[in-house]
Amino acid sequence: NADMVLWPIQYLYAENKQELLYAKLEEDTQKIVLFLKESGFEDTEMSSAAPAIVDKMAQGYGSGENIKYRYSGVQTLTLYTSKVEQARKAMREIAKLGKSGVTFRNNSYENKTEFIFTKLNNIKPDMIEEATQNARSSALKFAQDSKSSLGKIKRANQGQFSIVARDKFTPHIKKIRVVSTIEYYLND
């Protein structure tokens, strides 16, 4: 299981008066912060970026006609926590804030929630031991099939560890893999 989560929460608003846009984004920020605190998170687990505001009248294209709202803004509040299950629960419940007027932006490619596994060093020795045992079993089979006996390790390479989501529906569950290359001497 992942032991950290990085959850960027994006919300947006459009308005004709810039000061009202900033006020609404600040109000939504406070609602989200309160929701996260009520969900058991601390201020130290949250960070907020400056809003990205677009003035559609200042664009170099179009005449500005038929623009319903001159300004649009997107804000991101990020939760970075080791409370993975609490975060998953909050993710399921955050839509409640929509009833209070917060408009969320779907996870865009650059702002996807990330589930992270940080404890690779804790499991590395056991994984390498298992890989070595598996390599020895395979080498023994090669030796038997060639009517040889298995000698000592000639060369070993730990290989690269990979950590990926088990599947696209459970990114909080990780699949960790190491490919080790071990060469043995065969004795005739």
Side-chain angles (χ1 to χ4, degrees), residues 35 89-102 104:
F35 168 79
K89 183 176 188 276
M91 287 173 194
R92 291 187 297 270
E93 296 175 352
I94 198 165
K96 293 176 187 176
L97 289 177
K99 294 176 185 174
S100 69
V102 179
F104 294 101

Side-chain angles (χ1 to χ4, degrees), residues 64 68 83 88 115 118-119 146 152 164:
K68 186 169 182 175
K83 302 170 191 166
R88 291 184 64 232
F115 291 93
T118 65
K119 298 181 179 168
S146 67
K152 293 183 177 186
V164 296

